[in-house]
């Protein structure tokens, strides 16, 4: 686990991330509501006035996805000169291998859908497969993204935040997480469930403790602390 450097305190880190979270949420909440409303309209069958337009938009998005997907799938390397043909063939075989092993067909489909529906597609490298010697990537739901709404004068973002669902099993010391802090957060969540049940007059004995494979919500913060870039994971609270 990477310790917080001695020139910045934990309270300063949490305060900065809290401010960034609140700042982004102010502008992102309304956008999320619009996107969620549009998602429902795409498959709307009740409101006849909106049905035709939403279906047309949905069909247009599907057509655009197909066009981009087909264009990307048929691209191949070609040699500029006659003796380059062998190199081009090897590159095409390598590209095909990576494309299949990284499951890029499915990921590209999701990325294009996000781009045309939300205006942005997000793919992140989360590891490296040492056996196949290829990067491990995931496609992130844009509606979990909390971007910087006030980038600097060069339009470089100061931070990116992502709301993330994880299990305790995934938040281990080996991966850089503070296991004691995770346990405290889980305990805090459980106490919140008990208080909510008591308030609603429910039987608290029916509330199960959060197990190693049960999910909890955290925030991945990619931020700059005194001119250094850091990835900090914090609880929702």
């Amino acid at each position: 686990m990477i310790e917080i450097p001695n020139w910045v305190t934990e309270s300063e880190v949490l305060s900065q991330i809290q401010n960034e979270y609140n700042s982004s949420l102010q502008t992102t909440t309304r956008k999320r509501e619009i996107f969620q409303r549009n998602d429902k309209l795409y498959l709307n069958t009740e409101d006849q006035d909106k049905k035709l337009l939403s279906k047309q938009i949905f069909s247009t998005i599907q057509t655009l996805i197909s066009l981009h997907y087909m264009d990307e799938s048929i691209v191949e390397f070609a040699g500029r000169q006659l003796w380059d043909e062998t190199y081009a063939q090897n590159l095409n075989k390598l590209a095909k291998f990576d494309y299949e092993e990284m499951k890029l067909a499915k990921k590209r489909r999701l990325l294009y859908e996000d781009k045309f529906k939300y205006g942005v597609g997000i793919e992140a490298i989360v590891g490296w497969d040492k056996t196949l010697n290829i990067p491990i990537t995931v496609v992130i739901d844009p509606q979990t993204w909390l971007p910087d709404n006030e980038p600097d004068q060069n339009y470089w973002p100061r931070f990116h935040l992502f709301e993330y669902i994880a299990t305790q099993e995934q938040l281990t010391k080996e991966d850089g997480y503070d296991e004691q802090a995770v346990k405290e957060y889980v305990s805090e969540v459980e106490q919140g469930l008990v208080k909510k049940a008591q308030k609603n007059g429910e039987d608290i004995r029916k509330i199960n403790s959060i197990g190693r494979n049960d999910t909890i919500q955290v925030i991945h913060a990619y931020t700059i602390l005194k001119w250094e870039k850091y990835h900090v994971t914090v609880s929702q609270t």
Side-chain angles (χ1 to χ4, degrees), residues 70-226:
M70 289 300 296
D71 283 346
E72 188 172 86
S73 300
I74 61 176
V75 173
E76 290 187 348
F77 292 99
R80 293 184 177 182
Q81 300 180 16
L82 181 63
W83 49 85
D84 290 337
E85 190 64 29
T86 301
Y87 296 111
Q89 290 177 355
N90 290 336
L91 287 172
N92 286 324
K93 290 179 182 178
L94 178 62
K96 182 180 180 181
F97 174 84
D98 287 349
Y99 193 86
E100 293 174 351
E101 293 298 330
M102 292 174 65
K103 298 179 174 58
L104 290 182
K106 180 179 180 180
K107 293 175 182 176
R108 290 292 180 266
R109 174 67 174 75
L110 292 173
L111 274 175
Y112 285 131
E113 183 172 357
D114 288 342
K115 285 180 180 180
F116 293 125
K117 287 174 66 176
Y118 308 120
V120 62
I122 305 172
E123 184 176 17
I125 297 177
V126 295
W128 188 269
D129 189 320
K130 295 181 180 179
T131 303
L132 298 174
N133 199 29
I134 56 175
I136 302 171
T137 65
V138 294
V139 177
I140 300 175
D141 182 356
Q143 294 203 62
T144 66
W145 178 37
L146 292 168
D148 182 4
N149 60 338
E150 295 179 357
D152 65 20
Q153 64 269 21
N154 296 317
Y155 297 99
W156 286 103
R158 299 164 300 169
F159 63 87
H160 292 283
L161 307 181
F162 292 92
E163 295 173 329
Y164 180 69
I165 301 296
T167 65
Q168 289 189 73
E169 199 70 43
Q170 294 172 313
L171 306 177
T172 63
K173 184 177 181 180
E174 288 73 18
D175 289 327
Y177 297 99
D178 185 337
E179 292 186 335
Q180 182 59 36
V182 172
K183 291 179 181 178
E184 291 174 359
Y185 177 46
V186 168
S187 176
E188 182 181 322
V189 173
E190 290 175 339
Q191 291 174 14
L193 293 175
V194 171
K195 290 180 180 178
K196 183 178 180 181
Q198 290 175 332
K199 183 179 180 180
N200 296 332
E202 300 172 358
D203 188 351
I204 63 174
R205 292 174 298 178
K206 295 182 180 180
I207 298 177
N208 298 320
S209 60
I210 299 176
R212 294 289 293 175
N213 293 316
D214 292 330
T215 58
I216 53 178
Q217 190 166 20
V218 297
I219 297 173
H220 285 312
Y222 298 86
T223 189
I224 297 175
L225 303 170
K226 295 188 178 179

Side-chain angles (χ1 to χ4, degrees), residues 27-44:
T27 57
T28 306
T29 300
R30 178 56 182 157
K31 292 179 182 179
R32 286 181 174 180
E33 291 173 351
I34 293 173
F35 288 138
Q36 290 167 4
R37 183 199 64 188
N38 290 345
D39 285 342
K40 292 179 180 178
L41 287 176
Y42 291 142
L43 303 177
N44 178 47

